Structures are given as structure tokens and as C-alpha cells.
Amino acid sequence: MHVGPILLGYGRETARSGNTGNQKDVCVSLTLENFPSATIPPHAEALRSEVKAFIAEQLEGVPAHVRARSWSGFDADFSRALAARGWVGVTLPREYGGAGLDAFARFVLVEELLAAGAPVAAHWFGDRQSAPLLLHYGTEEQRRSILPRICKGELFFCIGMSEPNSGSDLASVRTRAERVPGGWKLNGQKIWSTYAHKSHYMIALVRTSGTSEDRQNGLSQFLVDLSLPGVTVRPIMIGTGDTDFNEVFFEDVILPEDALVGSEGNGWKQVNAELAFERSGPERIYSSLVLLDLWARLLGDNPDPEDAARLGRLVARLAPLREMSVAMTAVLAAGGSPLTEAALFKDMGTEIEQQIPAEIADAVGRRPELAADPELVRTLAYLMQLNHVFSLRGGTREILRGMIARGLGLR
């Protein structure tokens, strides 16, 4: 049976043998086969009611404008309460302190947390990226030392990928680790590291050989204790007044030999596997969901026809994106790494995340009576200031579309 394309790309391919001037049209695509039909299995769905009850108790009385921060909201006590229920590191094996559940269970957990606007930032990066990375590429000593403490909510992580003047071009990193007796000496700078000022560790992508012109070659990942001498963290204030983002400076930071994660020079492969976890989850479509839910409730059971149509269009866009995320969860559960698919999903998902506050702002402009609700106005104002960040964090649209083009064979 023919499966229609989701994304279709055309390009020109120059022959590599014979007449080098010969070119031919090439057509490649991502099809529905890249997003296999999947449903959340009963064992994972069974978790949903328990998670809902926990969140309702924890967030009782928390207003929408606070909940709208969701995975940007840092609350160590909430993360530890979640950990006490066994819901941090749910996919990690029990021998490392995890719950031994699958990717579908984590999907249900994350979906409910984000839909309600729970403050998950404290444990977020450790749970979503750093722990799976250490499980797959770390040494046994790293696993036994670090993973149980992530699962208990004792260790919080940040990510060290972006650098000044590089944007999302991770391959151009200049931060360098050089071998010294007994370990490594780290020098350089990272930027946009979320909650580095409240984190215990960073997993940093750095260069261990060659220069930035060597691109992906010579990159490695390191586990960096942010309390070490020579580490300086400076918060960056954004338009909302928040200081989630940070610059992190490394000046002759001495790392132990076992700070290397995985193999030296294998950092590019490892970080791409990490980004598949980062870009494929429901957080890429749910950042504005608290606002959408609040607006829908204010519209009531008999909304203005234009508002009803607007709400229907937004929900109709969210629904297939959720199915795409479930499909990628199935791929991850089967041991796959949907790099191109995750880049496509993230690009499409952040677009709807940005569209939701813009559409609701237009709707409120049409219906001045809605502007009388102070919580709606505060929540909308926050997200209108923040929504430009949605298409930056986790990779800009330009970088993502370059990845998609490479995945399609067009670059």
C-alpha cells in the first residue's frame, strides 16, 4: 500500500562517476512509515489517574500564570516529591534507582505534568537527557554514582551545548579539554545553559582534538561538577524578568580522568542521540497549553462562533502532533533513535506553541470582556514575551531544517 508523504523534498544530485556535469532530479520524503501508528499501552495509561491525583494535590491553588512556566519552572521541592513517588528516572533500570518502566510510561507522566503546568525544570534535564545518556554511554562507576541521585531528586543537571557566536551550530564549538596528568583541563564558555546556576552538574560538549573547522570530528562529552574551582556561572535576564538562562565560563578547570562520558571523539554521535530525546517529547507542543485551557474555559459552553472555530483549528493542529510524539515514543521504546523525525516534529511543534498565544491575543482583542479576567491577561502576557524562545531552545528552525534536509539526502 502506498503511504503518502508528510514532508517531500526535491533536489539536484551530481553524478559521482562518469560525466561530473550530469545531474538528475532526486525526490526523497519522510512518510507515515517514519511515524508508525502507535497507541499508549494499557500499563502506561494505568499510570495517568494516579499522576493526575498527585498533581492536583501538589498544584492546588497555583494560578495559571505561574503554571504557564511549566518546564521552565524550577521547584526543587516539587521535583523531590515527584522523585519520592518513583517518577523521576522512570525509564532507568531498578538497579540504578529507576522505576524500570518504558518510554510510554514516561510519555504519560510528562504529558500530565506539562498539561497541568507542573514546575519540572529542577529534575528535567537530568531525567530527560543526562540520565539516558549516562545509561547508554557512561561507565559503570558513573551510572552507580550519578543515576540513583538523579532518581532521588538529589542531583540537578544542565546542558552545555551552545556557545557564543555559534547559535545552534553545535559542531563549531571551541571550548576545549586537554589531557593533563590525572585528568583533563577545561577552558572555554557555554551559553543559554538553563538553570546552570541551580544545577550540580553539566554534561558539556567540548573539543578534545582539532579545531572548530574540523566540525563534528574531535568532539567529546564531559561530566562537569559545577562546584569545581574555575567554573563561573552568570545568569542572563530575559524579557520576562526571568534568569533561567546562564553563561558558564571554564578557566583551567581540572576534571578527573573519569569525567569523560563515552569515548573520546564520539561526542557528536552521543549528543545527537541525546537530542532525539530532547526534541521528540510532548514538551515541544505543550508549552502554551495552560493558556489554551484557561481561554477555552473562559469561552464557556456556547462560545462565539469565531472563537469556537479558532479553538477548533488549534486543537486540530495539536492532535496529529501528539500522535507523532506517541509514534516517536514507540521508536524510542524499541531502541531506535529518530533524529530526522524528531527535528521535523520539534520544528512543527514549536510553531503551534508560538501560534497559540498569538491567536488568543487576537481573540482577546476582538472580545474586550475577556480582557477583564486578570489571570488570562497575566498568563497571556507572560507567554507573549516568552514565545519567541520556543523556536530557539533545542535548536533553531534553521538548524533543524538543515538536519531535516540532510536526513532526506538533500544536503
Side-chain angles (χ1 to χ4, degrees):
M1 183 177 102
H2 175 71
V3 181
I6 292 175
L7 176 69
L8 188 63
Y10 289 93
R12 302 286 293 175
E13 181 181 84
T14 302
R16 289 180 170 81
S17 61
N19 185 348
T20 57
N22 289 342
Q23 291 185 325
K24 63 180 181 179
D25 290 319
V26 294
C27 173
V28 289
S29 64
L30 285 177
T31 73
L32 293 176
E33 291 175 347
N34 296 87
F35 299 93
S37 178
T39 57
I40 298 174
H43 73 267
E45 282 292 353
L47 185 64
R48 196 178 296 275
S49 59
E50 188 178 354
V51 174
K52 280 181 178 291
F54 170 83
I55 294 171
E57 179 183 351
Q58 291 285 322
L59 299 187
E60 184 178 4
V62 179
H65 77 273
V66 174
R67 291 186 291 108
R69 283 161 168 77
S70 194
W71 63 288
S72 296
F74 192 102
D75 186 334
D77 289 338
F78 177 86
S79 291
R80 293 186 184 113
L82 198 70
R85 298 295 296 266
W87 291 341
V88 175
V90 292
T91 61
L92 296 180
R94 293 182 182 276
E95 64 181 298
Y96 300 120
L101 302 178
D102 62 13
F104 285 110
R106 186 179 186 277
F107 182 96
V108 168
L109 175 65
V110 168
E111 183 171 53
E112 291 301 326
L113 289 168
L114 297 179
V120 297
H123 70 272
W124 194 248
F125 298 106
D127 175 87
R128 183 182 67 180
Q129 293 173 243
S130 304
L133 182 80
L134 291 171
L135 180 66
H136 286 91
Y137 294 104
T139 64
E140 186 63 14
E141 182 178 350
Q142 287 171 339
R143 295 189 195 107
R144 296 201 176 276
S145 170
I146 300 294
L147 298 187
R149 289 189 285 166
I150 290 176
C151 295
K152 291 177 182 177
E154 295 176 353
L155 291 184
F156 302 141
F157 274 69
C158 65
I159 303 301
M161 294 186 186
S162 297
E163 296 193 359
N165 303 314
S166 294
S168 292
D169 184 11
L170 299 183
S172 66
V173 299
R174 294 181 295 277
T175 297
R176 179 176 291 274
E178 299 177 333
R179 285 191 178 274
V180 295
W184 303 82
K185 182 168 69 175
L186 180 65
N187 282 283
Q189 180 183 356
K190 293 294 179 179
I191 198 168
W192 311 121
S193 295
T194 306
Y195 285 115
H197 61 306
K198 294 185 177 182
S199 296
H200 303 97
Y201 282 92
M202 169 190 285
I203 291 187
L205 179 69
V206 308
R207 187 162 295 284
T208 49
S209 65
T211 67
S212 58
E213 285 72 31
D214 292 311
R215 307 295 294 165
Q216 294 92 340
N217 297 321
L219 298 177
S220 304
Q221 286 185 298
F222 285 85
L223 182 65
V224 181
D225 182 342
L226 295 176
S227 67
L228 289 172
V231 178
T232 302
V233 180
R234 296 178 185 168
I236 301 170
M237 182 175 289
I238 60 175
T240 61
D242 294 328
T243 53
D244 305 355
F245 296 120
N246 297 267
E247 295 178 280
V248 183
F249 299 85
F250 307 110
E251 185 175 358
D252 292 337
V253 178
I254 301 301
L255 302 177
E257 183 69 37
D258 62 0
L260 178 68
V261 177
S263 304
E264 182 181 352
N266 197 44
W268 186 252
K269 177 182 176 182
Q270 294 173 194
V271 82
N272 273 283
E274 184 179 350
L275 288 170
F277 288 104
E278 178 181 351
R279 292 170 173 159
S280 60
E283 62 268 32
R284 296 307 177 186
I285 56 176
Y286 285 173
S287 295
S288 301
L289 203 60
V290 168
L291 173 65
L292 184 65
D293 181 57
L294 175 60
W295 177 59
R297 285 191 286 109
L298 289 173
L299 292 180
D301 295 332
N302 295 295
D304 174 87
E306 187 169 332
D307 286 338
R310 192 189 298 266
L311 177 60
R313 287 193 299 270
L314 293 173
V315 173
R317 288 199 62 193
L318 284 168
L321 288 168
R322 179 184 185 272
E323 293 304 304
M324 289 173 68
S325 187
V326 172
M328 285 185 290
T329 299
V331 173
L332 291 169
S337 184
L339 299 178
T340 305
E341 294 84 353
L344 172 63
F345 171 74
K346 195 269 180 183
D347 186 33
M348 297 171 68
T350 51
E351 184 177 353
I352 185 63
E353 285 188 322
Q354 291 175 327
Q355 184 183 359
I356 287 171
E359 290 271 1
I360 293 176
D362 287 344
V364 171
R366 284 185 61 252
R367 300 273 304 282
E369 68 272 20
L370 290 177
D373 186 278
E375 198 55 39
L376 177 66
V377 172
R378 291 186 72 176
T379 307
L380 177 59
Y382 172 76
L383 287 171
M384 285 297 289
Q385 292 180 81
L386 185 70
N387 71 348
H388 67 283
V389 175
F390 298 160
S391 58
L392 298 176
R393 60 191 185 190
T396 64
R397 286 210 169 101
E398 292 78 9
I399 292 295
L400 291 171
R401 290 173 183 180
M403 291 180 61
I404 295 164
R406 282 192 294 273
L408 291 170
L410 298 175
R411 287 182 63 181

